[in-house]
């Protein structure tokens, strides 16, 4: 890294991430304190950075064999290598045809090509046999050629089979035919041929090959030694001479001779030839050997240990291995479940969610006691939680909690209540229904009753952060004073126990609670969130707090500070997963739209439609905000196609937690969709689902009711707005109400008074920082004025719109002015 100019801090991050990938424990690894999502994103960046650094020094070739055996996390990592690496690097991966079924889109991705290996043409197949059998007559070569049908591996294995059968022999000059008249039978497939070769091996060689197959494609002589009393080296040398295995020049286990099957199919056939009872016993022996060898490096080998113990513990096989020894079977099953749980936790840490859920499911399949089922279900809950699969995680938490309560394991029960509460306190919008809410309320209340309100544990902090959200998520009656106390207590506990994760949740809860009733404290809360974000190692949690800070600064009218936090969120999002880009786009929309920084907003949200489409047309409320920002910025830039696409995605995507953004989206889009379109979209969100602030609702309702000429309703809303403007530190409500009243003046014929009142309101909004709204409101008054009053106001509105680059609205204002 030094040679290619990578900063030391960034090089350390890559080092720690690569170590985490391999399960290598390093002291003071910052990833140990990060959330699984953040770790997954770190890993997705580390390998491309490592490859880029190597490729910057010299052209680099990466070879990956048998990729069809890979699980999704490795396939994802290869995609990251291709899309995120720079420099002259080339990744070559081999796999069987089923790989194309698992990743069918690879052949169409930029930078990736798929090459199918067809059978060799006759001329090339003949050339191969000429090389293999230069001393052998053409009759035998033609028989081999016909049987192999262009498969080079089959041709090579036929030659090896003929050596085993004595039809061919080795001489100093190469292979020669020594039994030309002998009956010759060639199995009709590679697998059948290999099975015949394995079956024909001498006893010691066959047993060694089978034991090696239990270990895997790569194995070690010492492993085989540990599985039996007699020495196995002579048999391995004989197998190497037969071309079934090869000794590797270097070993991944220093001090141990490493060998490998010459082809994965050889290993598969040898493994399938082992009787099930002996296979289970062999897996148990290999699992024990690896566990003993690993010592304090167990994390590096836990998946391998889990594989072997699980293979040994399968009931149908273990009963054959130890038919009368139930204690031994129970011991192996216990070790298998423990190793699967360990492997699942490690996979969760790497954000390999599907893999982690798979480990949990496999552990659950072996479980026979409530304690074992509890461990497996808790693993599945943690994995689904990390992947923000809210409904799935919630069901696993409930199942695990029921098991903990049956066992009387109060420690596990409190841990589960706390983590389940953190799930919904941040991701309530990701649930598909409302059924979870009563149980969540009961869970928090019982947890706090048992833990004590004033405890200082992580569990108490999590439960109080959750209870602070009862009012926000409309879950249960909870006064704003109590909700605030809960959020502040969660923050205090987090600081006392030095838990940055809990601190992030606590601050989020505090901001959400306080801003329901106004923004008087938003600037201070934004500064706190920003300071914590900048001090966090966990990039994912830091990003969430940067977004929170940007939104809170915008609520306080501190748009310059909001833009700084939003820019930091955007920069960090580029180093994280794609969904983070939507969160950053939401922050940038709130920071950049009010002051009319439309060009910057257009760029900051440019990827929003593609990101939402890539997520399967389902997004969170941040995605809605980013889409709205892109649509209006494109409209004002005069890019009708981009505006139309963003709006189409906005209208057709499924949204989690839309109630949080129920009012802001239609207000942002109103210049593009008109008052009628804004009303229609506003009314699609039921009142019971709304969780946005009353201030946001009044902002858009004042504008719509004024334009809809609903004077009675407007008068009521204006009175509420003027009262709330002071108590909620939202002075713009006063000015929007003034503008709405100017429309009433215009309708009554007092157009010059209307123009003066509207201009005063616009000037106040502009001084506050809301330049875009100020210019738009002036333009929207034009249709209500007569020609004399409109001329002067139109010039002012158009000037303001053009000054911020709002071309779409400026053209609209010019059209209205031309009609006067």
């Amino acid at each position: 890294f030094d040679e290619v100019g990578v900063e030391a801090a960034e090089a350390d991050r890559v080092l720690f991430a690569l170590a985490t990938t391999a399960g290598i424990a390093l002291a003071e690894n910052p990833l140990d304190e990060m959330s699984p999502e953040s770790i997954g994103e770190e890993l997705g960046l580390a390998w491309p950075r490592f490859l880029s650094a190597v490729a910057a020094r010299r052209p680099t070739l990466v070879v990956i064999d048998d990729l069809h055996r890979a699980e999704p996390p490795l396939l994802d990592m290869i995609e990251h290598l291709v899309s995120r690496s720079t420099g002259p690097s080339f990744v070559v991966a081999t796999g069987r045809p089923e790989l194309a079924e698992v990743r069918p889109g690879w052949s169409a991705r930029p930078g990736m090509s798929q090459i199918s290996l067809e059978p060799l043409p006759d001329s090339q197949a003949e050339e191969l046999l000429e090389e293999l059998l230069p001393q052998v007559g053409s009759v035998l070569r033609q028989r081999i050629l016909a049987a192999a049908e262009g498969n080079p591996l089959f041709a090579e294995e036929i030659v090896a089979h003929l050596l085993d059968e004595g039809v061919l022999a080795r001489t100093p000059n190469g292979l020669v035919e020594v039994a030309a008249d002998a009956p010759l039978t060639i199995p009709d497939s590679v697998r059948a041929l290999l099975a015949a070769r394995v079956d024909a091996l001498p006893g010691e060689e066959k047993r060694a090959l089978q034991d090696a197959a239990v270990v895997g494609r790569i194995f070690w002589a010492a492993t085989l030694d540990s599985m039996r009393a007699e020495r196995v080296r002579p048999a391995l040398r004989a197998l190497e001479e037969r071309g079934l295995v090869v000794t590797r020049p270097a070993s991944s286990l220093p001090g141990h001779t490493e060998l490998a099957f010459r082809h994965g199919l050889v290993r598969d056939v040898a493994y399938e030839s082992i009787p099930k009872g002996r296979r289970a016993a062999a897996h148990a022996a290999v699992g024990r050997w690896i566990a003993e060898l690993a010592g304090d490096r167990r994390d590096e080998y836990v998946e391998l240990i889990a594989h072997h113990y699980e293979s040994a513990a399968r009931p149908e096989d273990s009963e054959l291995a130890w038919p009368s020894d139930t204690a031994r079977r129970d011991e192996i099953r216990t070790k298998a479940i423990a190793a699967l749980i360990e492997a699942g936790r490690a996979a969760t840490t790497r954000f390999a969610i599907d893999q982690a859920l798979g480990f949990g499911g496999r552990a659950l399949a072996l479980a026979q006691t409530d304690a074992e089922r509890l461990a497996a279900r808790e693993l599945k809950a943690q994995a689904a939680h990390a992947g923000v699969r809210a409904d799935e995680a919630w069901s696993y938490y409930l199942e695990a909690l029921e098991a903990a309560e049956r066992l009387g394991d109060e420690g596990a029960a409190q841990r589960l209540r706390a983590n389940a509460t953190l799930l919904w306190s941040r991701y309530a919008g990701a649930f598909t229904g409302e059924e979870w809410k009563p149980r969540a309320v009961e869970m928090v209340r019982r947890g706090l009753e048992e833990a004590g309100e004033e405890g200082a544990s992580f569990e108490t902090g999590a439960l109080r952060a959750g209870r602070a959200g009862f009012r926000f998520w409309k879950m249960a009656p909870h006064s704003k004073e109590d909700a605030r106390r809960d959020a502040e207590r969660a923050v205090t506990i987090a600081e006392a126990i030095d838990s940055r994760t809990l601190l992030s949740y606590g601050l989020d809860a505090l901001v959400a609670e306080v801003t329901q009733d106004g923004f008087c404290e938003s600037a201070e809360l934004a500064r706190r969130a920003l300071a914590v974000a900048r001090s966090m190692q966990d990039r994912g949690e830091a990003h969430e707090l940067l977004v929170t800070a940007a939104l809170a600064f915008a609520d306080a009218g501190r748009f310059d500070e909001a833009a700084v936090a939003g820019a930091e969120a955007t920069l960090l999002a580029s180093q994280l997963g794609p969904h983070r880009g939507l969160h950053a786009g939401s922050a940038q929309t709130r920071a950049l739209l009010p002051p009319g920084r439309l060009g910057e907003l257009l760029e900051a949200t440019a990827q929003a439609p593609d990101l939402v489409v890539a997520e399967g047309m389902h997004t969170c409320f941040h995605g809605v905000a980013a889409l709205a920002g892109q649509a209006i910025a494109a409209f004002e830039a005069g890019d009708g196609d981009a505006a139309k696409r963003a709006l189409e995605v906005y209208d057709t995507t499924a949204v989690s937690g839309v109630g949080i953004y129920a009012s802001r989206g239609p207000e942002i889009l109103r210049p593009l969709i008109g008052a009628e379109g804004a009303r229609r979209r506003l009314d699609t969100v039921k009142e019971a689902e709304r969780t946005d602030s009353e201030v946001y609702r009044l902002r858009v309702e004042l504008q719509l009711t004024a334009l809809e000429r609903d004077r009675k309703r407007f008068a009521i809303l204006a009175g509420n707005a003027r009262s709330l403007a002071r108590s909620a530190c939202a002075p713009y409500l006063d000015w929007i109400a003034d503008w709405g009243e100017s429309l009433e003046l215009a309708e009554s014929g007092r157009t010059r008074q209307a123009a003066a009142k509207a201009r005063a309101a616009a000037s106040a909004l502009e001084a506050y920082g809301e330049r875009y709204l100020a210019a738009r409101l002036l333009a929207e008054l034009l249709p209500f004025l007569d020609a004399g009053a409109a001329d002067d106001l139109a010039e002012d509105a158009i000037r303001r719109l053009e000054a911020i680059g709002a071309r779409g609205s400026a053209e609209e204002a010019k059209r209205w002015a031309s009609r006067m």
Side-chain angles (χ1 to χ4, degrees), residues 414 418 448 451-465 493:
Q414 279 293 82
L448 287 173
E453 293 276 342
E454 299 306 318
S457 65
F458 180 91
E459 288 76 14
T460 300
L463 292 167
R464 293 197 68 164
I493 291 172

Side-chain angles (χ1 to χ4, degrees), residues 333 337-338 341 345 359-381 395-404 406-407 412 415-416:
R333 190 193 75 255
I337 292 173
I341 297 296
R345 288 173 181 158
F359 282 123
R362 286 151 58 186
L364 194 59
L366 292 176
Q368 294 183 7
T369 69
D370 275 341
E372 291 169 345
R373 295 185 189 97
L374 167 60
R377 285 175 174 139
E378 184 171 9
L379 167 62
K380 296 188 78 171
S395 67
Y396 293 142
Y397 274 127
L398 293 182
E399 291 172 3
L401 183 57
E402 288 171 6
R406 280 197 305 271
L407 286 167
R415 182 175 64 247
L416 289 163

Side-chain angles (χ1 to χ4, degrees), residues 571-772:
L571 179 62
L572 194 53
S574 68
Q575 303 170 24
L576 301 172
H579 186 74
R580 301 286 188 176
L582 293 172
H583 287 228
S586 172
Q588 293 280 49
T589 297
R590 291 284 301 283
L592 300 175
L593 182 60
R597 296 165 65 171
L598 298 171
E600 295 172 65
L601 178 59
L602 182 66
E603 182 179 354
T605 58
Q607 299 303 313
D610 289 338
L611 291 175
V612 172
V613 171
E615 290 185 340
M617 299 300 288
H618 186 282
T619 190
C620 65
F621 68 92
H622 284 303
V624 170
L627 287 170
Q630 171 61 195
I632 199 63
F635 164 73
E636 296 294 10
D639 189 342
D641 290 341
K644 180 181 178 182
R645 180 166 186 257
L647 183 61
E648 286 176 348
V649 177
Y650 177 99
D651 281 335
T652 56
T653 188
V655 183
S656 298
V658 69
I660 300 174
Y661 219 75
S663 305
R664 294 293 285 168
E667 183 191 355
I668 291 170
L669 291 169
R670 188 166 60 76
L672 172 61
I673 60 180
E676 183 179 341
R679 171 62 70 190
R680 187 172 62 253
R681 288 165 177 82
L682 187 67
D683 291 345
T684 59
V685 181
K686 299 175 183 177
E687 188 62 31
E689 297 173 354
R690 291 175 176 273
T691 54
D692 53 348
S693 166
E694 181 65 17
V695 174
Y696 298 154
R697 298 184 217 184
L698 277 172
R699 276 183 65 111
V700 66
E701 285 285 2
L702 281 171
Q703 296 171 57
L704 290 180
T705 53
L707 292 169
E708 292 163 347
R709 304 179 183 183
D710 187 345
R711 293 189 179 185
K712 184 176 179 180
R713 178 162 170 72
F714 176 80
I716 295 171
L717 293 175
N720 294 340
R722 294 192 190 283
S723 174
L724 194 59
R726 290 176 286 279
S727 64
C729 298
Y732 42 79
L733 292 177
D734 253 333
W735 306 322
I736 297 172
D738 286 344
W739 166 82
E741 291 172 355
S742 75
L743 269 65
E744 293 184 352
L745 289 171
E747 282 194 298
S748 65
R750 291 174 287 178
T751 56
R752 295 198 178 278
Q753 288 176 266
K757 193 175 186 73
R759 185 177 281 112
S763 296
L765 283 167
E766 184 165 309
Y768 179 77
E770 295 241 23
R771 298 179 67 197
Y772 181 64

Side-chain angles (χ1 to χ4, degrees), residues 18-26 220 251-256 258 287 289-306 342 346:
L18 298 186
T20 299
T21 303
I24 299 172
L26 294 180
W220 300 270
S251 176
S252 55
L253 292 179
H256 294 276
E258 184 171 287
W289 182 82
I290 296 173
E292 291 173 353
L293 178 72
D296 59 4
R297 296 174 62 190
R298 183 180 173 90
D299 288 349
E300 297 177 46
Y301 300 97
V302 66
E303 289 189 19
L304 199 54
I305 295 169
E342 280 186 79

